[in-house]
């Protein structure tokens, strides 16, 4: 049994009333919204090993090439500096030739210039090799980055698909998902930085060996001078992370306002209600607040960064003056001066980069928390290890045994004390005013939610005993907020049974059953026509036409249980009657549930349940409920009066 922060992912038995009252979705610990402490920053380094494992698993050959070539390249700077020292010493020696330096041709022919030219050729070769290795490393990194982004994005989508519907209705998880989605695109530079740190560390070690021979205390001086810059960089990296973390909800609002203010789905209302100025003003208000927060942090970072970096520069010039003084005294040659000054300058740059880079790595490790903590969220609804397949055919049907469900953090129950049976082969209609619990009931039936109280039985077994994928494969569901896929018309139907997406005949049969056949045949490209407005070649459909496509999608599944939740809201009365008449005919030997506000449609059901405030108020046929004269009869008369 999986867990979510210590809570069982799937309860082995129905939850009692008092347990259900604490029904609150919990997730793994999130990074602190306040500025992370030093301990928290170091603790975030635990994310680096799993990150590097993911990089390695993405492509071991590219990862090995990137790291291996960097190690080779790390030794080239000290080699080039030392060869440069030898070149200068050789040039100084030649300038002191006793008989005066001969003409170039004569000096070349005599071999006098051979050592100098050999050293120049060696340095040239080292420079070419360094540049070539750098370009190969960049090439390998770019390929690895693209592959890593693709692999992580796929993993993100796969994990998101495994989460509960309840999770996607949680704003906190939406923030977490938004941050995780951003990290799939923005963290690959961390690999380059980590591998670069290894390269720089090897270079620092090789340069330090040279300096130790001449003046060991210079390294200590340099390290002490760079500590303030490291502390400052670490502080502002943490502050930057904290700012981005705290502004996640606002960034989502900015994305939403951009979408609403400039999308085809909202264009009509934005124009009719003249909403563009309202949306722009709201966007500018949020964007300006975010800009000013970023600007304030950037100003502080620039001021203190310059001041603290000056200490490192002071340390460098102190050492430079010392080396120059030792050269004047005759302790060092001109070549030694060049080698030491160049080594110290390079060492200062590398040490500064290592310290600042370490701070940045720690900061980016905090961002990895956003990605890995999302992957740690465990769905509560999943298949048990000993799950059984759904019976074929379903013989008895479903039983709701004192079922209750409450949405996370909600004060009132969505449904409670539901006791009824849905017989195999029965057509059951659910009616009630908005908020009565109709859609919640069918989501419980499809196990998009699990009850907080009671249990749901299928042929005498708890619904949680069945394989989840098999259970859903036996249900054809179309909700009122169905998805309009910007795919071909055939694919829009075929996704109802995605493993039969290439079965053209099955798609055509589903279209005929859902009365979408005429809609598709009128399209320029028929079943191959892209529908929707997102792409240039797309053809948009009316609301009623889209609904027929969606209904055909449900028939594609050929499931034992059919659920239609307000699927005909955009259809006129005649079209809706035809759809439900067809539905009734095709529901023979199938269990079916339909929700509709039009009583002319629900009256054809075998039985009608009337819901009010999450409870069953009445049950019976149309004639029985009319004879009782309760809420159903009242609502029916109200609707009928509108047609008189």
């Amino acid at each position: 049994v999986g867990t979510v922060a210590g809570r069982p992912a799937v309860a082995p038995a129905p939850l009692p009333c008092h347990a259900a009252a604490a029904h609150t979705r919990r997730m793994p610990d999130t990074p602190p919204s306040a500025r992370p402490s030093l301990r928290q920053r170091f603790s975030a380094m635990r994310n680096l090993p799993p990150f590097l494992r993911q990089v390695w698993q993405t492509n071991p050959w590219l990862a090995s090439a990137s790291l291996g070539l960097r190690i080779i390249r790390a030794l080239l700077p000290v080699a080039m500096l030392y060869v440069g020292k030898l070149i200068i010493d050789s040039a100084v020696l030649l300038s002191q030739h006793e008989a005066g330096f001969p003409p170039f041709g004569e000096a070349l022919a005599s071999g006098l210039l051979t050592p100098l030219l050999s050293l120049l050729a060696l340095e040239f070769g080292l420079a070419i090799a360094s540049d070539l290795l750098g370009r190969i490393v960049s090439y390998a990194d770019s390929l690895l980055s693209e592959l890593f982004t693709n692999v992580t994005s796929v993993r993100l989508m796969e994990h998101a698909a495994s989460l509960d519907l309840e999770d996607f209705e949680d704003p906190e998880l939406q923030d977490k998902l938004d941050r995780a989605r951003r990290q799939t695109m923005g963290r690959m530079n961390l690999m380059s930085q980590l591998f670069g740190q290894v390269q720089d560390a090897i270079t620092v070690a090789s340069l330090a060996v040279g300096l130790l021979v001449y003046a060991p205390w210079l390294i200590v001086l340099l390290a002490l001078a760079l500590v303030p810059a490291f502390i400052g960089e670490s502080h502002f990296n943490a502050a930057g992370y904290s700012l981005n973390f705290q502004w996640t909800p606002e960034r989502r609002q900015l994305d939403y306002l951009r979408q609403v203010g400039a999308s085809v789905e909202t264009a009509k209302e934005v124009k009719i209600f003249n909403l563009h100025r309202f949306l722009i003003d709201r966007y500018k208000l949020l964007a300006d607040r975010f800009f000013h927060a970023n600007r304030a942090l950037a100003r502080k970072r620039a001021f203190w960064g310059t001041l603290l970096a000056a200490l490192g520069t002071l340390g460098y010039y102190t050492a430079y003056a010392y080396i120059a003084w030792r050269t004047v005294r005759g302790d060092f040659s001109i070549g030694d001066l060049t080698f030491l000054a160049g080594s110290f300058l390079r060492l200062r740059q590398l040490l500064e980069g290592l310290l600042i880079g370490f701070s940045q790595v720690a900061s980016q490790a905090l961002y990895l928390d956003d990605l890995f903590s999302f992957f740690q969220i465990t769905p509560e609804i999943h298949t048990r290890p000993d799950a059984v397949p759904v019976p074929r055919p379903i013989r008895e049907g479903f039983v709701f045994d004192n079922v209750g469900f409450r949405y996370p953090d909600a004060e009132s129950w969505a449904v409670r004390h539901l006791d009824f049976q849905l017989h195999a082969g029965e057509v059951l209609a659910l009616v009630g005013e908005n908020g009565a619990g109709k859609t919640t009931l069918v989501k419980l039936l499809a196990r998009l939610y699990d009850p907080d109280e009671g249990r749901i039985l299928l042929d005498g077994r708890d619904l949680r005993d069945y394989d989840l994928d098999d259970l859903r494969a036996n249900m054809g569901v179309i909700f009122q907020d169905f998805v309009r896929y910007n795919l071909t018309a055939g694919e829009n139907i075929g996704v109802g049974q995605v493993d039969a997406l290439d079965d053209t005949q099955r798609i055509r049969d589903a279209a005929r059953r859902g009365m979408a056949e005429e809609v598709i045949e009128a399209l320029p490209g028929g079943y191959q026509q892209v529908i929707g407005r997102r792409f240039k070649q797309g053809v948009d459909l009316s609301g009623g036409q889209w609904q027929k496509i969606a209904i055909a999608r449900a028939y594609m599944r050929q499931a034992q249980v059919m659920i239609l939740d307000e699927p005909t809201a955009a259809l006129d009365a005649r079209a809706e009657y035809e759809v439900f008449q067809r539905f009734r005919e095709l529901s023979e030997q199938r269990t079916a549930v339909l929700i509709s506000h039009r009583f002319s449609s629900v009256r054809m059901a075998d039985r009608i349940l009337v819901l009010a405030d999450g409870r069953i108020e009445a049950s019976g046929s149309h004639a029985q409920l009319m004879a009782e004269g309760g809420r159903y009869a009242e609502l029916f008369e109200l609707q009928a009066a509108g047609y008189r």
Side-chain angles (χ1 to χ4, degrees):
V1 179
T3 61
V4 181
R7 176 187 171 190
V10 178
L15 291 172
C17 280
H18 66 275
H23 178 74
T24 302
R25 178 68 174 179
R26 295 189 62 201
M27 297 174 292
D29 293 338
T30 57
S33 57
R35 185 168 301 163
S37 66
L38 186 62
R39 175 181 293 182
Q40 289 165 336
R41 277 175 266 165
F42 275 101
S43 176
M45 300 291 277
R46 72 186 183 282
N47 293 318
L48 296 182
F51 169 73
L52 289 174
R53 277 197 300 272
Q54 283 192 15
V55 172
W56 177 265
Q57 291 166 359
T58 297
N59 193 304
W61 289 105
L62 284 174
S64 300
S66 179
L67 184 58
L69 293 175
R70 277 185 164 93
I71 292 173
I72 297 172
R73 194 167 182 242
L75 300 173
L76 295 182
V78 67
M80 293 178 67
L81 283 170
Y82 189 73
V83 171
K85 160 193 155 43
L86 295 178
I87 290 172
I88 291 175
D89 284 344
S90 178
V92 171
L93 183 63
L94 289 174
S95 69
Q96 296 171 351
H97 196 271
E98 295 180 357
F101 200 81
F104 177 77
E106 184 181 334
L108 186 63
S110 66
L112 190 62
L113 291 177
T114 300
L116 179 61
L117 293 176
S118 298
L119 289 170
L120 286 169
L122 177 59
E123 185 171 14
F124 175 74
L126 291 173
I128 293 296
S130 179
D131 180 69
L132 179 61
L133 288 174
R135 293 179 184 277
I136 296 175
V137 164
S138 296
Y139 175 69
D141 283 358
S142 65
L143 294 180
L144 193 56
S145 175
E146 189 72 23
L147 289 173
F148 179 83
T149 298
N150 293 341
V151 168
T152 308
S153 296
V154 168
R155 186 184 171 196
L156 184 80
M157 289 188 287
E158 288 177 341
H159 187 68
S162 74
L163 298 182
D164 303 332
L165 177 63
E166 192 175 309
D167 293 326
F168 289 95
E169 296 167 344
D170 182 353
E172 182 180 345
L173 186 131
Q174 286 298 306
D175 288 344
K176 185 181 286 289
L177 175 59
D178 183 71
R179 289 193 297 269
R181 193 160 36 228
R182 293 174 189 271
Q183 300 322 311
T184 62
M185 304 295 293
R187 288 307 112 204
M188 196 50 206
N189 61 330
L190 176 58
M191 185 217 72
S192 299
Q193 192 164 14
L194 284 170
F195 285 4
Q197 293 278 88
V198 173
Q199 175 181 327
D200 289 347
I202 295 172
T203 304
V204 164
S206 61
L207 290 171
V209 169
L211 284 177
L212 284 171
V213 175
Y214 292 95
W217 68 271
L218 292 178
I219 299 177
V220 178
L221 170 66
L222 185 59
L224 291 175
L226 292 176
V227 166
F230 164 70
I231 294 175
E233 188 69 18
S234 177
H235 168 81
F236 285 110
N237 279 334
Y241 170 78
S242 177
L243 180 67
N244 281 317
F245 185 91
Q246 291 173 331
W247 275 80
T248 299
E250 285 79 3
R251 285 206 309 269
R252 285 181 56 220
Q253 287 185 46
L254 289 171
D255 291 342
Y256 173 72
L257 290 169
R258 271 194 296 265
Q259 176 67 20
V260 172
S263 72
V264 65
E265 291 81 9
T266 60
K268 292 193 296 292
E269 282 208 9
V270 169
K271 287 182 176 296
I272 291 295
F273 296 128
N274 201 23
L275 294 177
H276 69 281
R277 181 50 54 192
F278 165 76
L279 294 170
I280 290 171
D281 289 344
R282 177 69 63 87
Y283 181 89
K284 287 171 65 177
L285 178 65
L286 281 173
D288 286 348
R289 286 173 56 199
F290 193 29
F291 168 76
H292 285 106
N294 270 313
R295 185 179 66 180
L297 180 61
R299 284 176 174 174
K300 292 178 182 178
R301 187 170 198 156
F303 174 78
W304 287 105
T306 302
L307 188 62
L308 296 173
L311 295 176
T313 304
L314 177 62
Y316 165 70
Y317 279 101
T318 300
Y320 197 6
Y322 171 78
I323 296 169
W325 174 67
R326 290 285 300 275
T327 303
V328 171
R329 281 180 51 187
D331 297 335
F332 298 151
S333 68
I334 299 299
D336 291 336
L337 171 65
T338 305
F339 174 73
L340 288 172
S343 295
F344 198 83
L345 177 61
R346 189 65 183 270
L347 192 60
R348 176 217 167 190
Q349 294 169 340
L350 288 172
L351 278 175
E352 188 176 60
L354 278 173
L355 290 174
I356 293 175
F358 177 79
S359 173
Q360 292 172 343
V361 165
S363 175
Q364 293 203 49
L366 283 169
Y367 285 99
L368 285 174
D369 263 339
D370 297 328
L371 184 61
F372 291 143
S373 63
F374 176 77
F375 287 136
Q376 290 167 8
I377 300 171
T378 306
E380 295 180 338
I381 299 175
H382 59 79
T383 300
R384 291 176 173 175
D386 57 347
V388 297
V390 172
R392 291 176 174 80
I394 295 173
R395 299 186 181 279
E396 300 174 20
F398 297 83
V399 174
F400 278 63
D401 180 13
N402 194 35
V403 169
F405 176 79
R406 181 164 62 182
Y407 290 97
D409 302 322
E411 295 182 1
S412 59
W413 292 83
V415 293
R416 201 173 194 191
H417 302 313
L418 295 182
D419 283 294
F420 70 93
Q421 183 171 0
L422 171 58
H423 302 282
E426 180 183 27
V427 177
L428 180 70
L430 304 178
V431 299
E433 299 177 22
N434 291 334
K438 303 184 298 296
T439 298
T440 300
L441 189 152
V442 298
K443 287 178 180 177
L444 287 166
L445 186 66
R447 211 179 164 215
L448 294 173
Y449 303 134
D450 274 340
D452 292 325
E453 285 183 345
R455 57 183 183 160
I456 303 173
L457 305 177
L458 170 57
D459 278 8
R461 297 194 65 156
D462 194 305
L463 213 58
R464 289 171 285 204
D465 291 339
Y466 293 103
D467 181 89
L468 184 60
D469 290 338
D470 192 39
L471 176 67
R472 291 177 179 168
N474 276 274
M475 292 192 176
V477 185
I478 177 65
F479 291 108
Q480 56 184 318
D481 53 348
F482 60 85
V483 179
R484 305 183 182 196
Y485 297 100
N486 283 262
L487 304 172
T488 67
E491 288 170 334
N492 259 279
I493 296 173
V495 293
Q497 186 69 42
V498 71
D499 56 359
L501 197 58
D502 296 327
D503 190 338
T504 304
Q505 188 56 49
R506 185 168 175 174
I507 291 173
R508 289 179 178 273
D509 288 343
R512 178 179 51 78
R513 293 181 178 196
M515 302 178 65
E517 192 174 39
E518 293 182 3
V519 174
I520 296 173
E521 289 178 350
L523 295 173
Y527 285 86
Q528 300 304 313
Q529 175 65 53
V530 175
I531 53 179
R533 299 178 178 177
R534 182 174 294 272
F535 304 114
K536 182 178 180 180
Q537 66 272 31
V539 174
D540 198 25
L541 305 179
S542 68
Q545 290 173 322
W546 270 113
Q547 285 198 305
K548 289 182 178 180
I549 295 287
I551 293 168
R553 186 184 304 157
Y555 284 121
M556 180 72 185
R557 179 147 287 198
Q558 299 179 354
Q560 294 194 74
V561 181
M562 294 290 291
I563 301 174
L564 274 65
D565 180 6
E566 290 286 356
T568 57
L571 299 180
D572 57 45
R574 180 185 295 276
E576 184 188 45
Y577 177 80
E578 292 173 353
V579 166
F580 278 122
Q581 189 65 39
R582 178 71 60 86
F583 175 70
R584 189 69 180 87
E585 294 169 0
L586 295 172
S587 295
E588 296 295 333
Q589 308 302 318
R590 291 186 186 182
T591 307
V593 178
L594 68 91
I595 300 174
S596 176
H597 282 101
R598 287 179 179 164
F599 289 84
S600 58
S601 299
V602 301
R603 67 188 301 173
M604 69 179 65
D606 298 322
R607 187 158 51 101
I608 301 168
L609 292 185
V610 182
L611 276 74
D613 299 323
R615 300 170 188 263
I616 297 175
E617 190 175 78
S619 173
S621 67
H622 171 74
Q624 290 170 336
L625 293 174
M626 289 298 294
E628 290 178 7
R631 185 187 300 267
Y632 179 86
E634 178 188 353
L635 293 174
F636 181 86
E637 290 298 333
L638 284 172
Q639 190 171 108
Y643 289 96
R644 294 191 182 111

